[in-house]
Amino acid sequence: MESALEPPVFKQMIEPRNNMSTSLTQLIEDLATANQILANEGVFDGFGHISVRHPENPERFFIARSMAPASVTAQDIVECDLNGDVHDAQGRKSYLERFIHSAIYKKRPDVNSVVHSHSPAIIPFGVTGARLRPICHMSGFLGSNVPTFEIRNTLGETSDMLIRNQSIGESLADTLGNNTVALLRGHGNVVVADSIQLAVFRAYYTEGNAKLQADAMRMSFGMGLGEPVYLSEEEARNSAETNAGQVERPWNVWKSKLPKQTH
Ligand code: MN
């Protein structure tokens, strides 16, 4: 008979980790690292989340419990299904906006990683109607269409702007369509990719593109020079393809810049 003093929850905490394959353990380590990188590089602040689809069960994905991304370690990762329900032996909760991830994974079988951030340079594009377009070769993945999700079309003018249930998540996923990035008006953006490393790369360069494009627009229009020159559809597609094969290099640089974890 089990002693009343025995902590059964502790057993549940340990067992799944011990049964994990090496590659799954590595994937979860990478997801924790991705959280830290995006915080360290200014894409995340106290908010923002990145997830990865479960490689052995496409109906599940991994995401951190509800916490500041800079502090996420592998022990903080929980499993979630495509309706946004969290399945965690310890009963931990994940982010209120996890439905961004569940709805996109449900709609987009090609997507294996999703980033949601409030990276600041994006915001002006979502609220002015100015199209975010690839201004340099590092952001060719933006392609020819970066749609903006207008939450008022779903919830009117009285929401708190958050993607707080599966149904709003599905509206956002519809707006994203087959594109790589969508803006959330007055809120932030969402970036998708087929790997954690590529999702980090794209989230980083989405923010960078917004800064460069705003500079180029200020310069062009301020000096009466007209529209800046953007990448053509083909230039965007080709550079995105080339860069997708190079993600390890910046990933390793960003990883090496991380402050030493104190926990
Ligand atoms: Mn948000």
Side-chain angles (χ1 to χ4, degrees):
M1 197 180 143
E2 267 195 8
S3 153
L5 293 172
E6 216 173 9
V9 172
F10 185 68
K11 266 192 204 163
Q12 285 175 324
M13 271 168 64
I14 298 304
E15 277 167 10
R17 301 290 174 207
N18 287 346
N19 292 339
M20 267 186 197
S21 64
T22 316
S23 61
L24 200 54
T25 306
Q26 183 59 51
L27 191 77
I28 285 174
E29 285 289 344
D30 286 349
L31 185 59
T33 302
N35 273 275
Q36 296 164 21
I37 286 173
L38 289 168
N40 202 44
E41 297 298 331
V43 177
F44 287 169
D45 47 19
F47 301 95
H49 17 94
I50 175 167
S51 63
V52 66
R53 195 192 291 269
H54 196 312
E56 290 151 22
N57 180 0
E59 301 294 307
R60 294 282 177 95
F61 65 94
F62 296 107
I63 191 167
R65 67 185 174 89
S66 190
M67 64 184 292
S71 308
V72 170
T73 68
Q75 285 69 43
D76 298 308
I77 303 299
V78 300
E79 203 174 312
C80 199
D81 67 29
L82 301 196
N83 293 315
D85 292 324
V86 180
H87 299 262
D88 183 56
Q90 298 171 62
R92 295 173 297 178
K93 290 186 165 47
S94 186
Y95 301 101
L96 192 65
E97 292 196 294
R98 60 191 180 279
F99 303 100
I100 293 172
H101 305 257
S102 55
I104 290 174
Y105 287 125
K106 195 173 234 181
K107 195 179 166 70
R108 290 277 302 268
D110 60 311
V111 167
N112 290 320
S113 188
V114 176
V115 179
H116 167 58
S117 83
H118 307 151
S119 70
I122 299 296
I123 301 295
F125 289 88
V127 300
T128 56
R131 286 172 61 201
L132 187 69
R133 298 177 65 182
I135 196 90
C136 86
H137 71 117
M138 299 309 281
S139 38
F141 60 85
L142 292 173
S144 54
N145 188 22
V146 178
T148 298
F149 176 66
E150 173 49 86
I151 199 165
R152 287 181 191 169
N153 293 342
T154 314
L155 296 180
E157 293 191 15
T158 57
S159 80
D160 66 358
M161 306 294 286
L162 299 184
I163 311 298
R164 51 169 59 247
N165 62 47
Q166 182 75 6
S167 152
I168 312 173
E170 282 170 7
S171 298
L172 169 61
D174 286 344
T175 297
L176 175 67
N178 286 322
N179 299 295
T180 304
V181 177
L183 311 187
L184 285 69
R185 193 264 309 158
H187 177 170
N189 67 93
V190 60
V191 176
V192 302
D194 65 2
S195 73
I196 292 172
Q197 285 79 2
L198 190 56
V200 167
F201 178 97
R202 288 175 171 176
Y204 177 92
Y205 283 107
T206 296
E207 174 69 2
N209 191 89
K211 285 181 189 153
L212 291 174
Q213 190 180 339
D215 280 349
M217 288 168 80
R218 271 192 290 269
M219 192 183 287
S220 292
F221 296 125
M223 296 172 74
L225 301 172
E227 191 80 29
V229 179
Y230 298 100
L231 267 63
S232 72
E233 211 168 320
E234 207 159 2
E235 286 167 341
R237 190 171 47 245
N238 291 339
S239 56
E241 208 177 296
T242 302
N243 289 335
Q246 300 282 330
V247 290
E248 286 300 324
R249 192 192 298 183
W251 170 266
N252 288 331
V253 171
W254 292 326
K255 198 173 167 179
S256 73
K257 287 165 67 185
L258 290 175
K260 287 230 169 354
Q261 292 290 322
T262 52
H263 45 267

